[in-house]
Amino acid sequence: EVQLVVSGGGLVQPGGSLRLSCVGSGFSFTSYWMNWVRQAPGKGLEWVANIKPAGSERYYVDSVKGRFTISRDDAKSSLYLQMSSLRAEDTAVYFCARSNCVRAVTASNGVVCKMDVWGQGTTVTVSS
Amino acid sequence: DIQMTQSPSSLSASVGDRVTITCRASQSVSTNLNWYQQKGGKAPKLLIYAASSLQSGVPSRFSGSGSGTDFTLTISSLQPEDFATYYCQQSYSASYTFGQGTKLEIK
């Protein structure tokens, strides 16, 4: 079974740090871009960061640049999100998701990436 | 950054209705546009990718169309299990963005 299992959430004080983990199984983890997506209470989905296989490229939403670091250990089929200088507005459920890039003749460069496998989410609460 | 705007933000409909949700991008995203369904804060489910391709296992009552900046998600005949929140998402840029969501409620 293809799955992603997320862990590491919890309660942290403003300014603190936390590390989230996401372990993949049932697929070749090394072949896929991986993402973190979050959802604040009562709000919509917000893409946070992604990372290319082997970690050679990484992208972040502006609001977390300089505070969050996405990384991966392909030997362990694991994705991480190191979060520091946490703020109340970082309070959210954090999901990891696989980007499956497939051929699509009408898409830019003939490839479209879709987040087709998701972890269950872990809750991060930033509060004093 | 590419901004995605969905309309409406919420929608009331009845079982059996045909429903259309619109998504507009702030610049062309070609057909690098995906649609997701989310229920009750659980992990989103991919419905449509590349603007109009149905993800495996998704019922055929779901369809998508559009290219460039304007896209639509259509549910041809609403079923009780379709009441949920729907999101569009662009993957044209490596920095992905989602629309703000459309909550579909029972009338």
Side-chain angles (χ1 to χ4, degrees), chain A residues 77-116:
Chain A
S77 297
S78 293
L79 174 73
Y80 305 102
L81 187 67
Q82 178 68 47
M83 304 183 293
S84 60
S85 301
L86 282 161
R87 306 166 180 167
E89 54 265 35
D90 296 317
T91 294
V93 176
Y94 285 73
F95 300 99
C96 66
R98 180 181 85 170
S99 273
N100 188 0
C101 299
V102 299
R103 291 189 179 278
V105 292
T106 58
S108 172
N109 297 321
V111 172
V112 66
C113 297
K114 54 181 178 174
M115 290 185 281
D116 66 344

PDB file of all heavy atoms in Angstrom, chain A residues 77-116:
ATOM      1  N   SER A  77      13.539   6.967   3.191  1.00  0.00           N
ATOM      2  CA  SER A  77      12.218   7.315   2.635  1.00  0.00           C
ATOM      3  C   SER A  77      11.514   8.348   3.522  1.00  0.00           C
ATOM      4  O   SER A  77      10.310   8.237   3.795  1.00  0.00           O
ATOM      5  CB  SER A  77      11.347   6.063   2.479  1.00  0.00           C
ATOM      6  OG  SER A  77      11.912   5.163   1.557  1.00  0.00           O
ATOM      7  N   SER A  78      12.271   9.322   3.944  1.00  0.00           N
ATOM      8  CA  SER A  78      11.758  10.276   4.926  1.00  0.00           C
ATOM      9  C   SER A  78      11.894  11.716   4.464  1.00  0.00           C
ATOM     10  O   SER A  78      12.889  12.105   3.845  1.00  0.00           O
ATOM     11  CB  SER A  78      12.474  10.108   6.264  1.00  0.00           C
ATOM     12  OG  SER A  78      12.162   8.862   6.847  1.00  0.00           O
ATOM     13  N   LEU A  79      10.892  12.482   4.806  1.00  0.00           N
ATOM     14  CA  LEU A  79      10.823  13.917   4.535  1.00  0.00           C
ATOM     15  C   LEU A  79      10.738  14.625   5.879  1.00  0.00           C
ATOM     16  O   LEU A  79      10.098  14.118   6.813  1.00  0.00           O
ATOM     17  CB  LEU A  79       9.574  14.216   3.709  1.00  0.00           C
ATOM     18  CG  LEU A  79       9.239  15.672   3.435  1.00  0.00           C
ATOM     19  CD1 LEU A  79      10.215  16.258   2.404  1.00  0.00           C
ATOM     20  CD2 LEU A  79       7.798  15.790   2.933  1.00  0.00           C
ATOM     21  N   TYR A  80      11.367  15.784   5.963  1.00  0.00           N
ATOM     22  CA  TYR A  80      11.371  16.528   7.218  1.00  0.00           C
ATOM     23  C   TYR A  80      10.999  17.990   6.984  1.00  0.00           C
ATOM     24  O   TYR A  80      11.188  18.529   5.897  1.00  0.00           O
ATOM     25  CB  TYR A  80      12.756  16.473   7.868  1.00  0.00           C
ATOM     26  CG  TYR A  80      13.274  15.068   8.071  1.00  0.00           C
ATOM     27  CD1 TYR A  80      14.227  14.537   7.212  1.00  0.00           C
ATOM     28  CD2 TYR A  80      12.787  14.271   9.100  1.00  0.00           C
ATOM     29  CE1 TYR A  80      14.695  13.244   7.376  1.00  0.00           C
ATOM     30  CE2 TYR A  80      13.241  12.970   9.271  1.00  0.00           C
ATOM     31  CZ  TYR A  80      14.195  12.466   8.396  1.00  0.00           C
ATOM     32  OH  TYR A  80      14.648  11.176   8.566  1.00  0.00           O
ATOM     33  N   LEU A  81      10.483  18.602   8.050  1.00  0.00           N
ATOM     34  CA  LEU A  81      10.290  20.050   8.060  1.00  0.00           C
ATOM     35  C   LEU A  81      10.786  20.559   9.406  1.00  0.00           C
ATOM     36  O   LEU A  81      10.173  20.292  10.436  1.00  0.00           O
ATOM     37  CB  LEU A  81       8.830  20.430   7.843  1.00  0.00           C
ATOM     38  CG  LEU A  81       8.586  21.935   7.683  1.00  0.00           C
ATOM     39  CD1 LEU A  81       9.210  22.443   6.373  1.00  0.00           C
ATOM     40  CD2 LEU A  81       7.087  22.257   7.713  1.00  0.00           C
ATOM     41  N   GLN A  82      11.918  21.247   9.358  1.00  0.00           N
ATOM     42  CA  GLN A  82      12.455  21.864  10.553  1.00  0.00           C
ATOM     43  C   GLN A  82      11.874  23.268  10.653  1.00  0.00           C
ATOM     44  O   GLN A  82      12.082  24.099   9.762  1.00  0.00           O
ATOM     45  CB  GLN A  82      13.982  21.918  10.496  1.00  0.00           C
ATOM     46  CG  GLN A  82      14.620  22.603  11.691  1.00  0.00           C
ATOM     47  CD  GLN A  82      14.440  21.805  12.977  1.00  0.00           C
ATOM     48  OE1 GLN A  82      14.658  20.594  13.005  1.00  0.00           O
ATOM     49  NE2 GLN A  82      14.036  22.474  14.046  1.00  0.00           N
ATOM     50  N   MET A  83      11.143  23.510  11.726  1.00  0.00           N
ATOM     51  CA  MET A  83      10.465  24.793  11.901  1.00  0.00           C
ATOM     52  C   MET A  83      11.085  25.520  13.085  1.00  0.00           C
ATOM     53  O   MET A  83      11.187  24.946  14.174  1.00  0.00           O
ATOM     54  CB  MET A  83       8.970  24.573  12.144  1.00  0.00           C
ATOM     55  CG  MET A  83       8.291  23.771  11.047  1.00  0.00           C
ATOM     56  SD  MET A  83       6.524  23.598  11.292  1.00  0.00           S
ATOM     57  CE  MET A  83       6.504  22.569  12.748  1.00  0.00           C
ATOM     58  N   SER A  84      11.501  26.752  12.872  1.00  0.00           N
ATOM     59  CA  SER A  84      12.071  27.542  13.947  1.00  0.00           C
ATOM     60  C   SER A  84      11.431  28.923  13.956  1.00  0.00           C
ATOM     61  O   SER A  84      10.702  29.286  13.036  1.00  0.00           O
ATOM     62  CB  SER A  84      13.591  27.638  13.795  1.00  0.00           C
ATOM     63  OG  SER A  84      13.918  28.244  12.562  1.00  0.00           O
ATOM     64  N   SER A  85      11.723  29.668  15.012  1.00  0.00           N
ATOM     65  CA  SER A  85      11.115  31.001  15.191  1.00  0.00           C
ATOM     66  C   SER A  85       9.615  30.936  14.962  1.00  0.00           C
ATOM     67  O   SER A  85       9.033  31.767  14.252  1.00  0.00           O
ATOM     68  CB  SER A  85      11.762  32.011  14.239  1.00  0.00           C
ATOM     69  OG  SER A  85      13.149  32.110  14.456  1.00  0.00           O
ATOM     70  N   LEU A  86       8.997  29.946  15.555  1.00  0.00           N
ATOM     71  CA  LEU A  86       7.571  29.707  15.318  1.00  0.00           C
ATOM     72  C   LEU A  86       6.719  30.842  15.861  1.00  0.00           C
ATOM     73  O   LEU A  86       7.014  31.451  16.894  1.00  0.00           O
ATOM     74  CB  LEU A  86       7.150  28.370  15.921  1.00  0.00           C
ATOM     75  CG  LEU A  86       7.564  27.163  15.080  1.00  0.00           C
ATOM     76  CD1 LEU A  86       7.559  25.894  15.898  1.00  0.00           C
ATOM     77  CD2 LEU A  86       6.647  27.034  13.872  1.00  0.00           C
ATOM     78  N   ARG A  87       5.638  31.096  15.116  1.00  0.00           N
ATOM     79  CA  ARG A  87       4.699  32.171  15.447  1.00  0.00           C
ATOM     80  C   ARG A  87       3.306  31.583  15.627  1.00  0.00           C
ATOM     81  O   ARG A  87       3.025  30.481  15.138  1.00  0.00           O
ATOM     82  CB  ARG A  87       4.670  33.189  14.316  1.00  0.00           C
ATOM     83  CG  ARG A  87       6.019  33.743  13.912  1.00  0.00           C
ATOM     84  CD  ARG A  87       5.916  34.476  12.583  1.00  0.00           C
ATOM     85  NE  ARG A  87       7.207  35.027  12.165  1.00  0.00           N
ATOM     86  CZ  ARG A  87       7.453  35.483  10.943  1.00  0.00           C
ATOM     87  NH1 ARG A  87       6.487  35.465  10.018  1.00  0.00           N
ATOM     88  NH2 ARG A  87       8.644  35.976  10.647  1.00  0.00           N
ATOM     89  N   ALA A  88       2.433  32.331  16.263  1.00  0.00           N
ATOM     90  CA  ALA A  88       1.059  31.867  16.453  1.00  0.00           C
ATOM     91  C   ALA A  88       0.407  31.529  15.113  1.00  0.00           C
ATOM     92  O   ALA A  88      -0.374  30.571  15.008  1.00  0.00           O
ATOM     93  CB  ALA A  88       0.251  32.939  17.184  1.00  0.00           C
ATOM     94  N   GLU A  89       0.739  32.282  14.078  1.00  0.00           N
ATOM     95  CA  GLU A  89       0.121  32.052  12.765  1.00  0.00           C
ATOM     96  C   GLU A  89       0.640  30.802  12.060  1.00  0.00           C
ATOM     97  O   GLU A  89       0.143  30.437  10.989  1.00  0.00           O
ATOM     98  CB  GLU A  89       0.300  33.276  11.859  1.00  0.00           C
ATOM     99  CG  GLU A  89       1.721  33.753  11.690  1.00  0.00           C
ATOM    100  CD  GLU A  89       2.085  34.866  12.659  1.00  0.00           C
ATOM    101  OE1 GLU A  89       1.601  34.863  13.824  1.00  0.00           O
ATOM    102  OE2 GLU A  89       2.867  35.760  12.244  1.00  0.00           O
ATOM    103  N   ASP A  90       1.619  30.125  12.652  1.00  0.00           N
ATOM    104  CA  ASP A  90       2.065  28.834  12.114  1.00  0.00           C
ATOM    105  C   ASP A  90       1.225  27.677  12.663  1.00  0.00           C
ATOM    106  O   ASP A  90       1.405  26.531  12.248  1.00  0.00           O
ATOM    107  CB  ASP A  90       3.530  28.586  12.458  1.00  0.00           C
ATOM    108  CG  ASP A  90       4.461  29.594  11.820  1.00  0.00           C
ATOM    109  OD1 ASP A  90       4.260  29.910  10.624  1.00  0.00           O
ATOM    110  OD2 ASP A  90       5.385  30.079  12.506  1.00  0.00           O
ATOM    111  N   THR A  91       0.334  27.976  13.592  1.00  0.00           N
ATOM    112  CA  THR A  91      -0.567  26.958  14.134  1.00  0.00           C
ATOM    113  C   THR A  91      -1.425  26.393  13.010  1.00  0.00           C
ATOM    114  O   THR A  91      -2.131  27.139  12.314  1.00  0.00           O
ATOM    115  CB  THR A  91      -1.459  27.559  15.226  1.00  0.00           C
ATOM    116  OG1 THR A  91      -0.643  27.932  16.341  1.00  0.00           O
ATOM    117  CG2 THR A  91      -2.526  26.565  15.674  1.00  0.00           C
ATOM    118  N   ALA A  92      -1.358  25.072  12.834  1.00  0.00           N
ATOM    119  CA  ALA A  92      -2.049  24.445  11.704  1.00  0.00           C
ATOM    120  C   ALA A  92      -1.902  22.936  11.782  1.00  0.00           C
ATOM    121  O   ALA A  92      -1.086  22.417  12.557  1.00  0.00           O
ATOM    122  CB  ALA A  92      -1.466  24.936  10.378  1.00  0.00           C
ATOM    123  N   VAL A  93      -2.686  22.255  10.983  1.00  0.00           N
ATOM    124  CA  VAL A  93      -2.427  20.849  10.679  1.00  0.00           C
ATOM    125  C   VAL A  93      -1.476  20.829   9.486  1.00  0.00           C
ATOM    126  O   VAL A  93      -1.719  21.510   8.489  1.00  0.00           O
ATOM    127  CB  VAL A  93      -3.725  20.095  10.348  1.00  0.00           C
ATOM    128  CG1 VAL A  93      -3.411  18.658   9.935  1.00  0.00           C
ATOM    129  CG2 VAL A  93      -4.678  20.114  11.545  1.00  0.00           C
ATOM    130  N   TYR A  94      -0.401  20.061   9.625  1.00  0.00           N
ATOM    131  CA  TYR A  94       0.608  19.969   8.570  1.00  0.00           C
ATOM    132  C   TYR A  94       0.502  18.604   7.897  1.00  0.00           C
ATOM    133  O   TYR A  94       0.562  17.558   8.567  1.00  0.00           O
ATOM    134  CB  TYR A  94       2.011  20.177   9.149  1.00  0.00           C
ATOM    135  CG  TYR A  94       2.299  21.619   9.482  1.00  0.00           C
ATOM    136  CD1 TYR A  94       1.711  22.227  10.584  1.00  0.00           C
ATOM    137  CD2 TYR A  94       3.138  22.389   8.674  1.00  0.00           C
ATOM    138  CE1 TYR A  94       1.949  23.560  10.881  1.00  0.00           C
ATOM    139  CE2 TYR A  94       3.383  23.719   8.959  1.00  0.00           C
ATOM    140  CZ  TYR A  94       2.781  24.305  10.066  1.00  0.00           C
ATOM    141  OH  TYR A  94       3.022  25.633  10.358  1.00  0.00           O
ATOM    142  N   PHE A  95       0.346  18.634   6.587  1.00  0.00           N
ATOM    143  CA  PHE A  95       0.279  17.421   5.770  1.00  0.00           C
ATOM    144  C   PHE A  95       1.553  17.314   4.930  1.00  0.00           C
ATOM    145  O   PHE A  95       2.091  18.326   4.472  1.00  0.00           O
ATOM    146  CB  PHE A  95      -0.900  17.479   4.800  1.00  0.00           C
ATOM    147  CG  PHE A  95      -2.260  17.604   5.423  1.00  0.00           C
ATOM    148  CD1 PHE A  95      -2.889  18.848   5.510  1.00  0.00           C
ATOM    149  CD2 PHE A  95      -2.946  16.489   5.879  1.00  0.00           C
ATOM    150  CE1 PHE A  95      -4.149  18.980   6.055  1.00  0.00           C
ATOM    151  CE2 PHE A  95      -4.211  16.607   6.424  1.00  0.00           C
ATOM    152  CZ  PHE A  95      -4.809  17.856   6.521  1.00  0.00           C
ATOM    153  N   CYS A  96       2.001  16.102   4.688  1.00  0.00           N
ATOM    154  CA  CYS A  96       2.986  15.902   3.629  1.00  0.00           C
ATOM    155  C   CYS A  96       2.268  15.294   2.433  1.00  0.00           C
ATOM    156  O   CYS A  96       1.223  14.635   2.589  1.00  0.00           O
ATOM    157  CB  CYS A  96       4.153  15.035   4.070  1.00  0.00           C
ATOM    158  SG  CYS A  96       3.757  13.317   4.448  1.00  0.00           S
ATOM    159  N   ALA A  97       2.800  15.522   1.251  1.00  0.00           N
ATOM    160  CA  ALA A  97       2.159  15.030   0.030  1.00  0.00           C
ATOM    161  C   ALA A  97       3.206  14.745  -1.027  1.00  0.00           C
ATOM    162  O   ALA A  97       4.198  15.470  -1.156  1.00  0.00           O
ATOM    163  CB  ALA A  97       1.139  16.041  -0.495  1.00  0.00           C
ATOM    164  N   ARG A  98       2.955  13.702  -1.779  1.00  0.00           N
ATOM    165  CA  ARG A  98       3.839  13.338  -2.886  1.00  0.00           C
ATOM    166  C   ARG A  98       3.425  14.090  -4.145  1.00  0.00           C
ATOM    167  O   ARG A  98       2.236  14.180  -4.453  1.00  0.00           O
ATOM    168  CB  ARG A  98       3.715  11.832  -3.131  1.00  0.00           C
ATOM    169  CG  ARG A  98       4.557  11.296  -4.231  1.00  0.00           C
ATOM    170  CD  ARG A  98       4.340   9.790  -4.413  1.00  0.00           C
ATOM    171  NE  ARG A  98       3.193   9.496  -5.256  1.00  0.00           N
ATOM    172  CZ  ARG A  98       2.913   8.276  -5.729  1.00  0.00           C
ATOM    173  NH1 ARG A  98       3.689   7.257  -5.392  1.00  0.00           N
ATOM    174  NH2 ARG A  98       1.851   8.075  -6.496  1.00  0.00           N
ATOM    175  N   SER A  99       4.403  14.626  -4.867  1.00  0.00           N
ATOM    176  CA  SER A  99       4.136  15.194  -6.182  1.00  0.00           C
ATOM    177  C   SER A  99       4.444  14.152  -7.238  1.00  0.00           C
ATOM    178  O   SER A  99       5.583  13.720  -7.370  1.00  0.00           O
ATOM    179  CB  SER A  99       5.016  16.419  -6.448  1.00  0.00           C
ATOM    180  OG  SER A  99       4.446  17.592  -5.960  1.00  0.00           O
ATOM    181  N   ASN A 100       3.424  13.739  -7.948  1.00  0.00           N
ATOM    182  CA  ASN A 100       3.578  12.781  -9.035  1.00  0.00           C
ATOM    183  C   ASN A 100       3.535  13.554 -10.341  1.00  0.00           C
ATOM    184  O   ASN A 100       2.489  14.088 -10.716  1.00  0.00           O
ATOM    185  CB  ASN A 100       2.465  11.740  -8.952  1.00  0.00           C
ATOM    186  CG  ASN A 100       2.659  10.601  -9.928  1.00  0.00           C
ATOM    187  OD1 ASN A 100       3.625  10.560 -10.678  1.00  0.00           O
ATOM    188  ND2 ASN A 100       1.732   9.665  -9.907  1.00  0.00           N
ATOM    189  N   CYS A 101       4.664  13.653 -11.029  1.00  0.00           N
ATOM    190  CA  CYS A 101       4.747  14.436 -12.264  1.00  0.00           C
ATOM    191  C   CYS A 101       4.565  13.501 -13.449  1.00  0.00           C
ATOM    192  O   CYS A 101       5.339  12.549 -13.619  1.00  0.00           O
ATOM    193  CB  CYS A 101       6.077  15.181 -12.325  1.00  0.00           C
ATOM    194  SG  CYS A 101       6.262  16.334 -10.940  1.00  0.00           S
ATOM    195  N   VAL A 102       3.545  13.759 -14.248  1.00  0.00           N
ATOM    196  CA  VAL A 102       3.181  12.872 -15.343  1.00  0.00           C
ATOM    197  C   VAL A 102       3.112  13.646 -16.646  1.00  0.00           C
ATOM    198  O   VAL A 102       2.979  14.866 -16.654  1.00  0.00           O
ATOM    199  CB  VAL A 102       1.822  12.195 -15.065  1.00  0.00           C
ATOM    200  CG1 VAL A 102       1.894  11.362 -13.789  1.00  0.00           C
ATOM    201  CG2 VAL A 102       0.705  13.224 -14.941  1.00  0.00           C
ATOM    202  N   ARG A 103       3.192  12.896 -17.728  1.00  0.00           N
ATOM    203  CA  ARG A 103       3.082  13.512 -19.050  1.00  0.00           C
ATOM    204  C   ARG A 103       1.655  14.020 -19.270  1.00  0.00           C
ATOM    205  O   ARG A 103       0.691  13.323 -18.969  1.00  0.00           O
ATOM    206  CB  ARG A 103       3.440  12.504 -20.135  1.00  0.00           C
ATOM    207  CG  ARG A 103       4.906  12.127 -20.151  1.00  0.00           C
ATOM    208  CD  ARG A 103       5.239  11.285 -21.387  1.00  0.00           C
ATOM    209  NE  ARG A 103       6.646  10.936 -21.434  1.00  0.00           N
ATOM    210  CZ  ARG A 103       7.580  11.747 -21.896  1.00  0.00           C
ATOM    211  NH1 ARG A 103       7.250  12.948 -22.349  1.00  0.00           N
ATOM    212  NH2 ARG A 103       8.840  11.347 -21.928  1.00  0.00           N
ATOM    213  N   ALA A 104       1.567  15.229 -19.805  1.00  0.00           N
ATOM    214  CA  ALA A 104       0.273  15.821 -20.152  1.00  0.00           C
ATOM    215  C   ALA A 104       0.533  16.718 -21.342  1.00  0.00           C
ATOM    216  O   ALA A 104       1.165  17.767 -21.203  1.00  0.00           O
ATOM    217  CB  ALA A 104      -0.294  16.609 -18.976  1.00  0.00           C
ATOM    218  N   VAL A 105       0.026  16.329 -22.478  1.00  0.00           N
ATOM    219  CA  VAL A 105       0.413  16.994 -23.729  1.00  0.00           C
ATOM    220  C   VAL A 105       0.082  18.478 -23.740  1.00  0.00           C
ATOM    221  O   VAL A 105       0.744  19.276 -24.400  1.00  0.00           O
ATOM    222  CB  VAL A 105      -0.232  16.300 -24.945  1.00  0.00           C
ATOM    223  CG1 VAL A 105       0.354  14.910 -25.123  1.00  0.00           C
ATOM    224  CG2 VAL A 105      -1.738  16.233 -24.800  1.00  0.00           C
ATOM    225  N   THR A 106      -0.957  18.869 -22.994  1.00  0.00           N
ATOM    226  CA  THR A 106      -1.358  20.273 -23.018  1.00  0.00           C
ATOM    227  C   THR A 106      -0.665  21.105 -21.960  1.00  0.00           C
ATOM    228  O   THR A 106      -0.792  22.328 -21.948  1.00  0.00           O
ATOM    229  CB  THR A 106      -2.879  20.392 -22.809  1.00  0.00           C
ATOM    230  OG1 THR A 106      -3.214  19.787 -21.557  1.00  0.00           O
ATOM    231  CG2 THR A 106      -3.635  19.690 -23.930  1.00  0.00           C
ATOM    232  N   ALA A 107       0.053  20.479 -21.064  1.00  0.00           N
ATOM    233  CA  ALA A 107       0.652  21.204 -19.945  1.00  0.00           C
ATOM    234  C   ALA A 107       1.969  21.854 -20.343  1.00  0.00           C
ATOM    235  O   ALA A 107       2.590  21.491 -21.338  1.00  0.00           O
ATOM    236  CB  ALA A 107       0.879  20.268 -18.764  1.00  0.00           C
ATOM    237  N   SER A 108       2.376  22.807 -19.533  1.00  0.00           N
ATOM    238  CA  SER A 108       3.651  23.465 -19.742  1.00  0.00           C
ATOM    239  C   SER A 108       4.775  22.434 -19.719  1.00  0.00           C
ATOM    240  O   SER A 108       4.841  21.610 -18.814  1.00  0.00           O
ATOM    241  CB  SER A 108       3.871  24.499 -18.646  1.00  0.00           C
ATOM    242  OG  SER A 108       5.155  25.033 -18.711  1.00  0.00           O
ATOM    243  N   ASN A 109       5.635  22.458 -20.704  1.00  0.00           N
ATOM    244  CA  ASN A 109       6.741  21.503 -20.822  1.00  0.00           C
ATOM    245  C   ASN A 109       6.260  20.051 -20.945  1.00  0.00           C
ATOM    246  O   ASN A 109       7.056  19.130 -20.756  1.00  0.00           O
ATOM    247  CB  ASN A 109       7.704  21.623 -19.645  1.00  0.00           C
ATOM    248  CG  ASN A 109       8.365  22.979 -19.580  1.00  0.00           C
ATOM    249  OD1 ASN A 109       8.716  23.555 -20.613  1.00  0.00           O
ATOM    250  ND2 ASN A 109       8.513  23.508 -18.380  1.00  0.00           N
ATOM    251  N   GLY A 110       4.967  19.857 -21.188  1.00  0.00           N
ATOM    252  CA  GLY A 110       4.434  18.511 -21.393  1.00  0.00           C
ATOM    253  C   GLY A 110       4.331  17.675 -20.135  1.00  0.00           C
ATOM    254  O   GLY A 110       4.103  16.474 -20.205  1.00  0.00           O
ATOM    255  N   VAL A 111       4.491  18.325 -18.975  1.00  0.00           N
ATOM    256  CA  VAL A 111       4.450  17.600 -17.702  1.00  0.00           C
ATOM    257  C   VAL A 111       3.585  18.379 -16.723  1.00  0.00           C
ATOM    258  O   VAL A 111       3.672  19.606 -16.635  1.00  0.00           O
ATOM    259  CB  VAL A 111       5.868  17.431 -17.118  1.00  0.00           C
ATOM    260  CG1 VAL A 111       5.804  16.850 -15.713  1.00  0.00           C
ATOM    261  CG2 VAL A 111       6.723  16.568 -18.026  1.00  0.00           C
ATOM    262  N   VAL A 112       2.757  17.662 -15.972  1.00  0.00           N
ATOM    263  CA  VAL A 112       2.013  18.288 -14.887  1.00  0.00           C
ATOM    264  C   VAL A 112       2.280  17.501 -13.605  1.00  0.00           C
ATOM    265  O   VAL A 112       2.386  16.276 -13.640  1.00  0.00           O
ATOM    266  CB  VAL A 112       0.498  18.333 -15.191  1.00  0.00           C
ATOM    267  CG1 VAL A 112      -0.099  16.946 -15.231  1.00  0.00           C
ATOM    268  CG2 VAL A 112      -0.215  19.192 -14.152  1.00  0.00           C
ATOM    269  N   CYS A 113       2.433  18.236 -12.517  1.00  0.00           N
ATOM    270  CA  CYS A 113       2.676  17.593 -11.221  1.00  0.00           C
ATOM    271  C   CYS A 113       1.416  17.672 -10.380  1.00  0.00           C
ATOM    272  O   CYS A 113       0.814  18.739 -10.248  1.00  0.00           O
ATOM    273  CB  CYS A 113       3.838  18.262 -10.503  1.00  0.00           C
ATOM    274  SG  CYS A 113       5.395  18.095 -11.389  1.00  0.00           S
ATOM    275  N   LYS A 114       1.028  16.564  -9.819  1.00  0.00           N
ATOM    276  CA  LYS A 114      -0.177  16.469  -9.011  1.00  0.00           C
ATOM    277  C   LYS A 114       0.175  15.851  -7.664  1.00  0.00           C
ATOM    278  O   LYS A 114       0.991  14.938  -7.580  1.00  0.00           O
ATOM    279  CB  LYS A 114      -1.225  15.601  -9.722  1.00  0.00           C
ATOM    280  CG  LYS A 114      -0.690  14.222 -10.125  1.00  0.00           C
ATOM    281  CD  LYS A 114      -1.744  13.396 -10.847  1.00  0.00           C
ATOM    282  CE  LYS A 114      -1.170  12.053 -11.268  1.00  0.00           C
ATOM    283  NZ  LYS A 114      -2.205  11.148 -11.842  1.00  0.00           N
ATOM    284  N   MET A 115      -0.444  16.361  -6.597  1.00  0.00           N
ATOM    285  CA  MET A 115      -0.207  15.791  -5.263  1.00  0.00           C
ATOM    286  C   MET A 115      -1.227  14.677  -5.064  1.00  0.00           C
ATOM    287  O   MET A 115      -2.386  14.940  -4.718  1.00  0.00           O
ATOM    288  CB  MET A 115      -0.303  16.895  -4.203  1.00  0.00           C
ATOM    289  CG  MET A 115       0.869  17.861  -4.286  1.00  0.00           C
ATOM    290  SD  MET A 115       0.919  19.119  -2.982  1.00  0.00           S
ATOM    291  CE  MET A 115      -0.292  20.277  -3.614  1.00  0.00           C
ATOM    292  N   ASP A 116      -0.773  13.454  -5.310  1.00  0.00           N
ATOM    293  CA  ASP A 116      -1.717  12.339  -5.375  1.00  0.00           C
ATOM    294  C   ASP A 116      -1.719  11.425  -4.162  1.00  0.00           C
ATOM    295  O   ASP A 116      -2.612  10.582  -4.044  1.00  0.00           O
ATOM    296  CB  ASP A 116      -1.479  11.524  -6.655  1.00  0.00           C
ATOM    297  CG  ASP A 116      -0.136  10.822  -6.686  1.00  0.00           C
ATOM    298  OD1 ASP A 116       0.761  11.182  -5.884  1.00  0.00           O
ATOM    299  OD2 ASP A 116       0.038   9.925  -7.534  1.00  0.00           O
TER     300      ASP A 116
END
